[in-house]
Each structure stands twice: as structure tokens, then as C-alpha cells.
């Protein structure tokens, strides 16, 4: 059931952000068998979270998995070796949070165990 008080402008902005982020090409600097976008990657990460969870994964964990790379619609997919070499993880995370705030994307609070599962899932999916 749809609530009557939906802010259509906000919804349009959020959907554009989500769709734009999902269409970002991943691993653009490496030859691969086939191209993968953020949407396909995030789908795989969500399933890895389910597989690696001791119990049924929380909605927050699954939503964090689905949304963990959406800001790349604005930042691009910066390769991990570049992030490491330039030591820009903290700056990039701050920028991504600003982008998500601008688009009214919620922060999905995770337990320490869920953070670990999400990181492992992101790496395993690659």
C-alpha cells in the first residue's frame, strides 16, 4: 500500500540516483570476459551476505549491500589500487556520504559482524 504523503520530487531524485549508480561500469581498467555494472555487482553482494550470515540477514545488511556502491554514479568506480596508492579512502568515503545525504539515502546501521560480512561479500563477489 502506498502512503498518501509521498514527496514525488524526492522520490524522483532518489530513483534517479539509484538507477544512475546501478549503471556504472565496473572494472573498467581490467580486461574481463564480460562487462559488469554496479547493479549486477550489488545483487551478487546481497546474495553473498545471505550466504555468509549465520542467521537470516537483517534488512539493514541487505539494503547496505544493495546500496554500497551507488555513489559511484557521481564519483565513478575508482580502482582499489588507485585508492590505496593515493591514500584517499577517508576523503572518498566523506564525499560519498555527502552525495548520499544530498539524495536523501538513509544510512543503514550495521553491527560489527554485519560490517565484516558486507566487506567479505564485496570482496568475494569481485
Amino acid at each position: 500500500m502506498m502512503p498518501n504523503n509521498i514527496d514525488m520530487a524526492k522520490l524522483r531524485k532518489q530513483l534517479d540516483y539509484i538507477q544512475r549508480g546501478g549503471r556504472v561500469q565496473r572494472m573498467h581498467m581490467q580486461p574481463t570476459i564480460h562487462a559488469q555494472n554496479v547493479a549486477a555487482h550489488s545483487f551478487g553482494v546481497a546474495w553473498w551476505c545471505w550466504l555468509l550470515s549465520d542467521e537470516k540477514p537483517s534488512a539493514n545488511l541487505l539494503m547496505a549491500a544493495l546500496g554500497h556502491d551507488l555513489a559511484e554514479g557521481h564519483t565513478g568506480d575508482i580502482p582499489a589500487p588507485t585508492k590505496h596508492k593515493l591514500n584517499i579512502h577517508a576523503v572518498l568515503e566523506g564525499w560519498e556520504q555527502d552525495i548520499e545525504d544530498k539524495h536523501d539515502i538513509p544510512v543503514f546501521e550495521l553491527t560489527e559482524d554485519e560490517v565484516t560480512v558486507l566487506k567479505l561479500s564485496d570482496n568475494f563477489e569481485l
Side-chain angles (χ1 to χ4, degrees), residues 3-82:
N4 293 331
N5 59 348
I6 290 183
D7 180 343
M8 292 306 290
K10 178 180 173 181
L11 181 61
R12 218 173 281 116
K13 182 174 153 181
Q14 289 172 315
L15 286 172
D16 179 63
Y17 173 76
I18 292 165
Q19 291 173 338
R20 179 179 177 173
R23 288 190 294 264
V24 171
Q25 176 90 21
R26 298 189 73 239
M27 300 174 283
H28 61 280
M29 296 183 65
Q30 294 292 327
T32 58
I33 295 171
H34 61 70
Q36 183 187 46
N37 63 26
V38 167
H41 165 66
S42 297
F43 174 85
V45 172
W47 275 105
W48 270 108
C49 286
W50 181 79
L51 291 167
L52 296 177
S53 294
D54 288 336
E55 300 174 13
K56 180 178 164 185
S58 71
N60 278 1
L61 176 57
L62 294 177
M63 290 305 295
L66 291 172
H68 77 282
D69 281 340
L70 287 178
E72 291 180 2
H74 291 264
T75 66
D77 181 21
I78 301 171
T82 302

Side-chain angles (χ1 to χ4, degrees), residues 14 18 58-68 70 97 100 104-111 114-115 118:
Q14 289 172 315
I18 292 165
S58 71
N60 278 1
L61 176 57
L62 294 177
M63 290 305 295
L66 291 172
H68 77 282
L70 287 178
Q97 188 59 59
E100 291 183 357
D104 295 314
I105 301 299
V107 173
F108 297 101
E109 299 295 330
L110 302 177
T111 66
E114 288 175 325
V115 169
L118 180 57

